[in-house]
Structure formats: structure tokens, C-alpha cells
Amino acid sequence: QKEVEQNSGPLSVPEGAIASLNCTYSDRGSQSFFWYRQYSGKSPELIMSIYSNGDKEDGRFTAQLNKASQYVSLLIRDSQPSDSATYLCAVGGNMLTFGGGTRLMVKP
Amino acid sequence: KAGVTQTPRYLIKTRGQQVTLSCSPISGHRSVSWYQQTPGQGLQFLFEYFSETQRNKGNFPGRFSGRQFSNSRSEMNVSTLELGDSALYLCASSLSTLTKAFFGQGTRLTVV
């Protein structure tokens, strides 16, 4: 059973701070890794993808991948109240497997 | 480029009825996956189709079925609806399971 684990939260950070979200996965054969953001009542929105070890930056978002340790993380710099949402980690191999999501709350 | 389109957006059905949901993927995408999302649960994988073939199936009863057409559009069917089937049903399309998957707006099914 391929598993993707996330702390459900809520993770509460003040506005302007860095939010750090983490995810671990069980399948060493996984090849692609994604972060989705989901607002309440809406569908998931893809915000980051990463395929190789290291960091990938896109605006205020940085995804980090460590295949040896089987974890992937998402950093959100200068967090804004509009970033308050549930963040889903997804791992791709022969199918895409999602974690349960971490709820992020950014307080003004 | 048009996104993933799911129809209908909202549906209310009675226990025992059946329902068919539709998903039109992004043009060029051949992989379509279906997920069920309920309050307190994560995204639960239903099945994935690629070029009209079901490649993967989640742990759902046989009442849940799907198919994909030659134009990559996909449908899922739920027969003999139960109250517990009330959920947001999401469709995602991608070039393959290794590439970015994009979700439609979902169909919110309520079973009464």
C-alpha cells in the first residue's frame, strides 16, 4: 500500500512569516511530486511540481525534495492570509497518490 | 487552453438511484483519474483511465464504475446510491501519471 503522510494541522503562522509544510512517502520508486492548494469548497489547484532532488523555487513558493529520506516539503515565504487553505502533497508513479493534507492558517 | 470540465456541478439523488458524472479533460491529455472527497477524508482514488483502458482502481465497491471514450472524455457511474456516497467527485487530467494533473471544478453529489 503506497502511502503519503502529512500532518493534518492546523499549522498557524503570522502574516509575513515562512510556512513550512512537510510530506513523507513510502514508495521509493516514486518519480514525480506535486503540491496542491485547496480552498474550502473548491477543487485542488496545482501550485508546484518537482522531479529531482533539491530545491525548486517559484515566486513565494519553494518545493524541496529528498528522495533518499523520502520526503518532500513546501515553503511559503511572506505568508499572506489568502494562503490559508489545505495543502495536499501528491506523489506520482504508476498512479498519483495524495496525502491527507495540511491545513494552513495565516493570521493577520 | 480550456481546463478540465465536469458536469453537472451539483446533483441531488435519492437512495437506490444511479448517477452518471462526466469529465472532459484538457485537450491532448489522455489520462483521466477520478477521486472522491468527503469531509474529514482525504482524496480517495477511484480509478484511472488512459487511452480508454482502466489502468488503476482504488478500493471502492463494484457500484462505482467508469469508462473513457476515444476522445478521452470520461464518465463515472454509481449505481444503487447510498447516503454515504454523498461527496465531491473530482476528475483530474494529465498527459501521464508522472506529469502535472489538473482538476476540474468537481461534481457535488448529495444523496437523500
Side-chain angles (χ1 to χ4, degrees), chain A residues 2-107:
Chain A
K2 298 173 185 176
E3 295 183 346
V4 179
E5 300 287 343
Q6 295 181 255
N7 187 316
S8 61
L11 172 66
S12 182
V13 300
E15 183 176 356
I18 296 175
S20 178
L21 306 163
N22 300 309
C23 167
T24 59
Y25 60 95
S26 63
D27 183 12
R28 284 194 171 275
S30 300
Q31 300 175 56
S32 54
F33 307 85
F34 308 94
W35 284 98
Y36 288 82
R37 176 176 62 198
Q38 186 174 28
Y39 293 112
S40 181
K42 302 295 184 182
S43 63
E45 173 193 10
L46 179 68
I47 55 174
M48 288 292 289
S49 61
I50 187 166
Y51 300 91
S52 55
N53 280 330
D55 295 0
K56 179 182 178 182
E57 185 175 319
D58 183 0
R60 296 186 297 113
F61 299 100
T62 299
Q64 300 174 317
L65 175 62
N66 184 323
K67 289 186 177 180
S69 301
Q70 294 175 248
Y71 85 79
V72 56
S73 63
L74 178 71
L75 300 178
I76 306 175
R77 291 182 299 281
D78 188 24
S79 294
Q80 300 298 307
S82 59
D83 294 327
S84 298
T86 296
Y87 289 79
L88 300 163
C89 172
V91 176
N94 62 335
M95 58 181 284
L96 196 60
T97 304
F98 283 82
T102 298
R103 185 180 166 207
L104 173 66
M105 298 174 60
V106 181
K107 298 190 173 182

Side-chain angles (χ1 to χ4, degrees), chain B residues 10-78:
Chain B
Y10 303 91
L11 209 49
I12 299 176
K13 289 287 188 178
T14 305
R15 272 183 303 173
Q17 288 186 313
Q18 74 167 19
V19 66
T20 298
L21 311 181
S22 179
C23 172
S24 293
I26 292 171
S27 178
H29 285 190
R30 295 163 65 188
S31 173
V32 175
S33 299
W34 289 89
Y35 297 85
Q36 181 196 67
Q37 190 173 41
T38 54
Q41 301 285 333
L43 276 164
Q44 294 183 280
F45 173 75
L46 282 157
F47 27 67
E48 186 236 349
Y49 286 87
F50 186 88
S51 294
E52 302 180 67
T53 300
Q54 186 181 90
R55 293 200 301 189
N56 293 288
K57 189 177 190 305
N59 188 26
F60 277 81
R63 300 185 297 108
F64 292 81
S65 62
R67 59 178 176 170
Q68 187 179 33
F69 302 96
S70 58
N71 62 357
S72 293
R73 189 177 70 85
S74 178
E75 290 182 345
M76 69 162 282
N77 183 278
V78 188

